Amino acid sequence: MKILVVNAGSSSLKYQLFDMDTNEVLAKGLCERIGIDGIITHKRPGKDDHKANVDFPDHKAAIECVLSLLTDKEKGVIASVDEIAAVGHRFAHGGEKLKKSAVLGDQELEYLESIVGLNPLHGPPAISGLKACKEVMPNVKHVGVFDTSYYSNMEESAYIYPIPYELYEEYQIRRYGFHGTSHRFVAAKAAELLGDPNAKIITCHLGNGSSITATVNGKAVDTSMGFTPQDGVPMGTRSGAIDPTVVTYIQKVKGLTAEQADALLNKESGLLGVSGVSSDCRDICDEAAKGNKRAKLALEILVHNIKKIIGSYIAEMNGVDAIVFTAGIGENDRQIRADVCKDMNWLGVEIDEEVNKTCPRGTLADISAKGAKVKTYVIPTNEEYMIALDTQNLTK
Ligand code: AMP
């Protein structure tokens, strides 16, 4: 069974074609600059990449180009579009109703359109991508996989904010959580490694956007992102959690509108805001190594906040069996992993410094010290595979 996974952004569309019988990625790629001009990068394992300028006035033109490349005699991997059994779409937000991955019919699409206000950045392009794919591939099922759905089992006490309850009832203001598909994938992998489906696991997805999730019995019980992906640990350009009064105070003293304050906290804060150097962790690490004090401080703030959240989840779950690092920083930055796990031996967390330093980047590794009560893993995330798997399960 072949499944196409699509992740549509405002000016981009990522795709991967899976053969679910062999668990292989047959081809993957990226359409960029949709609505501007257009570039496609198409990759197949063991073959040269194909990169070309193509005019992409909209998402439909991009998906048409993807399908023609997938079926191309030279650059393709399938003989006909009919080989694609179903399409899985990544959605950041499923709102309060789409609590599980679902086949997207008219009703579901209508609901997704009704909640774009909760998700103004990712919602509209994901819907455009879905509509384009449905138009071009009308005979297959289209499945939505939602980042938020992993959190649909959280207790009310974990997702209701201590603000007037009517705001939840009227405007659905609550903690939703994001990156759920990634946390679900790596938590399941950790449970498999532990041989315990009921394990207590803390997954740290640390990338340009970062979140930390606590999982018990395969279900998320808490997570650091909230109403939006702005909450939690500091990120590339997002502040993460701050005293909410800072927002209104900044607005007053700097004379900013709500939109300007929002942009300041989303685009000019986090690692970039503190370091003044870059939003990219590699640049900040380089600067810190050269003695840049603010770059060093940005990294210290990041580590401090990750530790704080891990500690709170251990208290919440009454223990932890494994801590997992994933995504760009989690999979690659040995120093951040070492700094986060430092001085946590009282909690049973201890890593093997040498294994942590030498484990190959981007591969699964057990970096726990011998005899450590808590396992510490590096697990490369694979959201696309998770989307393909849900799509297969809902359509086969
Ligand atoms: P992601 O959003 O998962 O693609 O992660 C992006 C973040 O991962 C950026 O802050 C990068 O600096 C960081 N990153 C990627 N590769 C490395 C690396 N080799 N060492 C340290 N950080 C890295």
Side-chain angles (χ1 to χ4, degrees):
M1 187 180 195
K2 295 188 180 87
I3 305 270
L4 180 65
V5 172
V6 171
N7 183 353
S10 56
S11 65
S12 69
L13 185 143
K14 284 189 212 152
Y15 62 94
Q16 284 198 22
L17 182 67
F18 285 87
D19 184 335
M20 300 307 285
D21 301 326
T22 58
N23 278 342
E24 264 178 301
V25 176
L26 301 175
K28 63 179 178 180
L30 169 68
C31 303
E32 293 171 277
R33 297 179 64 85
I34 297 171
I36 306 165
D37 36 40
I39 306 170
I40 186 161
T41 311
H42 178 71
K43 300 181 178 203
R44 290 167 302 163
K47 304 261 168 67
D48 287 342
D49 293 355
H50 166 76
K51 197 164 181 168
N53 295 314
V54 189
D55 195 20
F56 292 145
D58 50 28
H59 285 92
K60 186 170 170 230
I63 193 71
E64 276 170 343
C65 175
V66 169
L67 294 182
S68 87
L69 270 178
L70 289 174
T71 52
D72 185 86
K73 279 219 168 74
E74 276 173 30
K75 303 172 199 86
V77 288
I78 48 175
S80 148
V81 173
D82 296 339
E83 287 184 46
I84 299 173
V87 185
H89 297 261
R90 185 220 165 200
F91 275 82
H93 218 308
E96 287 232 279
K97 288 203 180 139
L98 291 168
K99 294 187 169 182
K100 283 195 280 192
S101 300
V103 175
L104 300 176
D106 292 346
Q107 253 183 336
E108 288 78 12
L109 180 56
E110 213 172 280
Y111 176 68
L112 286 169
E113 283 179 320
S114 77
I115 58 161
V116 289
L118 291 175
N119 179 31
L121 280 185
H122 295 109
I127 290 171
S128 298
L130 169 68
K131 283 182 171 168
C133 289
K134 279 187 150 215
E135 223 179 306
V136 178
M137 288 175 278
N139 300 324
V140 297
K141 288 205 170 112
H142 293 262
V143 169
V145 177
F146 310 98
D147 279 9
T148 47
S149 56
Y150 191 48
Y151 305 107
S152 56
N153 293 299
M154 287 196 318
E155 295 287 340
E156 274 188 305
S157 55
Y159 73 75
I160 295 290
Y161 286 119
I163 56 176
Y165 193 77
E166 294 73 26
L167 290 170
Y168 166 59
E169 292 176 312
E170 278 177 50
Y171 303 104
Q172 297 80 53
I173 297 173
R174 52 162 282 184
R175 183 181 290 283
Y176 286 100
F178 296 89
H179 290 151
T181 312
S182 171
H183 288 287
R184 179 156 62 107
F185 178 81
V186 294
K189 201 60 155 181
E192 194 185 307
L193 292 170
L194 291 164
D196 178 6
N198 306 319
K200 297 169 179 171
I201 299 164
I202 296 176
T203 45
C204 307
H205 177 115
L206 308 174
N208 200 29
S210 298
S211 60
I212 305 181
T213 292
T215 293
V216 183
N217 297 334
K219 296 200 162 96
V221 292
D222 208 347
T223 191
S224 61
M225 282 180 168
F227 179 57
T228 70
Q230 162 74 323
D231 202 359
V233 291
M235 302 169 226
T237 60
R238 292 178 228 153
S239 64
I242 55 169
D243 178 342
T245 313
V246 171
V247 185
T248 44
Y249 189 74
I250 294 172
Q251 282 185 259
K252 271 187 224 149
V253 294
K254 289 191 67 85
L256 302 184
T257 61
E259 287 72 23
Q260 287 168 325
D262 193 50
L264 186 145
L265 293 167
N266 262 298
K267 300 194 176 129
E268 298 166 34
S269 297
L271 297 177
L272 172 67
V274 176
S275 71
V277 168
S278 166
S279 61
D280 192 300
C281 209
R282 284 166 289 201
D283 299 341
I284 300 169
C285 292
D286 290 349
E287 274 300 306
K290 285 186 219 153
N292 183 322
K293 286 206 173 110
R294 274 175 50 185
K296 190 164 169 276
L297 177 63
L299 297 172
E300 284 167 358
I301 295 173
L302 176 66
V303 169
H304 173 85
N305 280 278
I306 297 170
K307 266 178 165 310
K308 201 157 85 171
I309 292 174
I310 290 178
S312 68
Y313 290 170
I314 295 176
E316 229 178 289
M317 296 192 289
N318 187 19
V320 65
D321 298 306
I323 294 179
V324 178
F325 290 96
T326 193
I329 298 172
E331 289 169 33
N332 295 296
D333 197 316
R334 295 146 182 183
Q335 195 55 50
I336 297 274
R337 290 197 301 254
D339 291 347
V340 167
C341 296
K342 195 168 161 238
D343 296 335
M344 289 217 275
N345 47 341
W346 188 81
L347 296 167
V349 179
E350 231 175 314
I351 62 166
D352 184 315
E353 297 284 350
E354 204 44 42
V355 176
N356 180 49
K357 253 191 235 158
T358 52
C359 67
R361 290 197 154 107
T363 56
L364 192 149
D366 177 350
I367 59 168
S368 335
K370 234 190 185 153
K373 204 167 89 189
V374 176
K375 287 283 185 191
T376 307
Y377 298 120
V378 179
I379 303 181
T381 192
N382 196 342
E383 293 160 270
E384 291 78 12
Y385 178 68
M386 209 74 233
I387 295 171
L389 205 58
D390 279 7
T391 305
Q392 179 186 35
N393 290 336
L394 281 165
T395 55
K396 72 180 170 193

